[in-house]
Amino acid sequence: MSDVLTAPVKIKIITTIIQPGTETEKFELWSEGKIMQKNDQIYLQYEEIQEDQRMNTTLRFGQEDAIIMRNGDVKMRMPFVLGQVRRGHYNSEYGQLPIVTKTKEMKFEPSETIQNGRFYLQYELIIGEQSVGDYCLELNYTEGNK
C-alpha cells in the first residue's frame, strides 16, 4: 500500500506585494489542481497563467519549510525556511536570475481531511543584494471535483 494520498482541489491564492515607495498590490488567483500528502509534507500542483505565460506550479510545504517550483514559460525555484535566508533562481527568456528569500512568517493550518487547509507565507524577496519588497502568499484549498 502506498503512503501517498492524492485528491483534486480548488485553490485560491492571494498574493500581496509591499514595495518601498509604491502602493500595496494585491492579486487573486483561482485554480484547480491536485494535492498530495507524503509523510508530513503537502504537495499542491496547479497551472498558472500570467500575462500570457503558462506555468505548472508545485508548492511543497510543511510546518517549517516550503518551496515553490514553476516550470513552463517561466522556470523558478524559491525555497523558504522560517527565520532563514535561502537562495533560489528565476529563469526567463532573458536568462537566469539568482534570488534570495528571507522568510518572516509561515503557517500551515491543515484540516482533518487532506482536501482542505490553509498555508500562509510572508517573506522578503532580495534580487542582486537589494530588497525588492515584502510578499505575502495566502493559499486556501478546498475539495475539488473528481
Side-chain angles (χ1 to χ4, degrees), residues 47-56 70-76 90-94:
E47 183 178 65
E48 286 183 78
I49 300 172
Q50 294 179 5
E51 299 173 8
D52 295 329
Q53 294 183 321
R54 295 177 99 70
M55 296 162 282
N56 292 314
R70 290 192 174 116
N71 284 302
D73 292 334
V74 171
K75 292 179 181 15
M76 182 187 78
Y90 178 93
N91 288 23
S92 71
E93 59 193 69
Y94 306 108

Side-chain angles (χ1 to χ4, degrees), residues 102-138:
K102 182 178 180 183
T103 307
K104 298 179 175 184
E105 188 175 352
M106 186 181 313
K107 293 180 193 168
F108 170 37
E109 300 169 357
S111 71
E112 292 181 15
T113 65
I114 185 177
Q115 295 104 328
N116 297 289
R118 178 179 180 266
F119 179 71
Y120 177 83
L121 178 65
Q122 182 182 0
Y123 63 95
E124 179 181 3
L125 181 61
I126 301 163
I127 300 174
E129 306 295 320
Q130 185 172 356
S131 175
V132 295
D134 286 329
Y135 289 68
C136 296
L137 175 72
E138 183 178 343

Side-chain angles (χ1 to χ4, degrees), residues 7-14 28-35 44-50 54-58 115 138-145:
V9 287
K10 293 179 185 174
I11 304 164
K12 178 183 177 184
I13 303 164
I14 300 172
E28 189 173 295
L29 170 74
W30 288 84
S31 189
E32 291 188 4
K34 67 179 178 178
I35 188 167
L44 276 174
Q45 294 179 324
Y46 55 94
E47 183 178 65
E48 286 183 78
I49 300 172
Q50 294 179 5
R54 295 177 99 70
M55 296 162 282
N56 292 314
T57 301
T58 300
Q115 295 104 328
E138 183 178 343
L139 190 138
N140 292 285
Y141 54 94
T142 57
E143 187 172 349
N145 299 323

